Amino acid sequence: MAAKLLTGKEVAQKMDQDIQKDVLELKAKGINPALRIMIVGEAEDSVYYANSAKKMAEKNGILCEIEQLAGTLSQDEFVNILKQRNADKNIHGIIVMRPFPKQISEDVVKYVLSPEKDVDCFNPVNAGKIMAGDMTGFPPATPQAVMEMLRFYEIPMSGKDAVVIGRSMVVGKPMSMLLLGENATVTVCHSKTKDLPGVCKRADIVVAAIGRAKMITADYIKPGATVMDVGINPEGDKFVGDVNTEAVKEVAGAITPVPGGVGTVTTRVLLKHVVKAAKLQNQ
Ligand code: NAP
């Protein structure tokens, strides 16, 4: 039997409803949730991403301003502007788009962005909060989107064996901590893992965050397992995941498509975080 397709659309719609309800409640108290997206320079990808996030934010009643700064800005100048945004009580969430121009160091800026406004987990304080199980933090959008999907589709996690393939700071590592927080028994795999198919085949939940098109085939998957495909890899004029969906769906119990899966939910997570930040800043 073919696997159940875990599509992102329904999850995103439910999240939109919840966000809009929270936004109305905040507005009734005189709080106008606001997101600031800062771009240094003119990277086309960043501008495109920021514009689509702005559209989604406004659809949900969240104010979103894109602040595009000159690519020639010095690090000190940028740090000063960022500190002013940190201090602005009318801004609740801040995203700083990367990569920066070469004169600006990520390793400096990430500590300047206020952890309370860091809705996409750039400041290591927020990465640390995931480790500590501190719910006042903001996990990165992609692993949090996987969690939103697992919860929405009522996939059991407690006591289950989960394998995360990939150990980046944006996906793999935080993903493993979030699953551990739900009492899964988590194994984290990477490029040096021995017998990856054998390790994956023991898992009830497999999260693929590798960046290798269609690498995960049916022989990695235990019959009935849930497969969450985080990968976004260009193939011709479209994008494919890290999982060979056609083959794996014959074995898995449930699988996310690419496109139309995890990626559909990530922007909603950022908006949910803006609402959370607005609440926490006005307690
Ligand atoms: P990354 O930083 O390149 O990390 C890839 C990870 O995969 C590394 O830990 C690497 O191991 C591991 N890996 C690479 N080849 C492997 C192999 N043959 N066997 C086992 N492990 C292997 O990538 P990322 O930023 O985490 O992104 C992962 C994927 O998710 C990409 O396709 C990216 O486009 C996608 N992504 C999607 C979203 C979304 O919203 N859906 C957001 C962000 C990223 P080592 O550590 O040993 O090198």
Side-chain angles (χ1 to χ4, degrees):
M1 205 178 73
K4 176 178 175 171
L5 215 53
L6 308 179
T7 47
K9 196 172 153 206
E10 292 81 352
V11 188
Q13 279 169 349
K14 171 72 172 72
M15 289 179 76
D16 279 346
Q17 284 168 13
D18 294 346
I19 292 165
Q20 286 164 22
K21 186 170 159 276
D22 283 353
V23 167
L24 283 178
E25 281 173 21
L26 282 165
K27 285 187 176 169
K29 292 184 196 155
I31 303 156
N32 223 339
L35 171 65
R36 177 68 56 101
I37 304 178
M38 303 178 76
I39 307 173
V40 191
E42 287 170 15
E44 249 177 62
D45 284 2
S46 297
V47 175
Y48 177 83
Y49 174 88
N51 281 322
S52 64
K54 180 178 165 75
K55 230 159 89 190
M56 194 87 72
E58 286 171 349
K59 192 181 129 200
N60 282 291
I62 294 173
L63 182 71
C64 176
E65 284 183 60
I66 300 171
E67 186 169 4
Q68 200 162 357
L69 300 158
T72 51
L73 218 59
S74 73
Q75 179 168 289
D76 286 349
E77 286 169 323
F78 181 54
V79 163
N80 279 332
I81 295 172
L82 184 54
K83 283 182 177 166
Q84 287 169 34
R85 304 302 169 257
N86 281 343
D88 186 337
K89 288 200 171 0
N90 294 317
I91 298 173
H92 305 100
I94 301 172
I95 297 173
V96 285
M97 298 300 300
R98 276 96 69 200
F100 295 132
K102 58 179 182 328
Q103 74 276 16
I104 299 178
S105 160
E106 269 195 40
D107 287 335
V108 171
V109 175
K110 68 187 180 189
Y111 289 103
V112 177
L113 174 58
S114 161
E116 288 76 32
K117 298 192 176 184
D118 172 29
V119 290
D120 198 21
C121 200
F122 182 37
N123 190 318
V125 167
N126 277 313
K129 284 188 177 186
I130 309 172
M131 296 279 288
D134 179 339
M135 304 310 274
T136 64
F138 302 98
T142 303
Q144 185 65 35
V146 172
M147 298 308 286
E148 296 281 352
M149 294 190 79
L150 289 169
R151 287 196 196 105
F152 179 88
Y153 286 107
E154 298 178 345
I155 307 291
M157 289 180 264
S158 183
K160 299 295 178 187
D161 288 321
V163 164
V164 178
I165 318 166
R167 56 174 163 178
S168 73
M169 280 302 285
V170 279
V171 193
K173 276 185 195 159
M175 186 76 252
S176 65
M177 284 296 134
L178 294 174
L179 287 163
L180 186 62
E182 293 293 332
N183 300 315
T185 303
V186 185
T187 305
V188 185
C189 299
H190 46 78
S191 64
K192 306 289 183 294
T193 298
K194 279 189 202 145
D195 186 21
L196 186 61
V199 176
C200 290
K201 211 161 181 158
R202 292 200 293 269
D204 303 299
I205 300 170
V206 175
V207 182
I210 315 162
R212 300 262 184 277
K214 298 181 182 172
M215 188 183 115
I216 303 303
T217 50
D219 50 334
Y220 285 68
I221 304 299
K222 175 164 91 174
T226 298
V227 181
M228 309 300 286
D229 189 355
V230 171
I232 304 178
N233 309 290
E235 191 182 76
D237 57 356
K238 28 175 220 174
F239 288 94
V240 298
D242 290 340
V243 177
N244 184 331
T245 316
E246 282 311 303
V248 168
K249 76 178 187 206
E250 298 306 319
V251 184
I255 187 168
T256 58
V258 177
V262 178
T264 316
V265 179
T266 50
T267 316
R268 267 53 171 225
V269 169
L270 293 174
L271 300 182
K272 188 171 166 173
H273 285 173
V274 176
V275 168
K276 178 177 168 182
K279 285 184 189 169
L280 288 171
Q281 286 159 36
N282 287 283
Q283 271 178 340

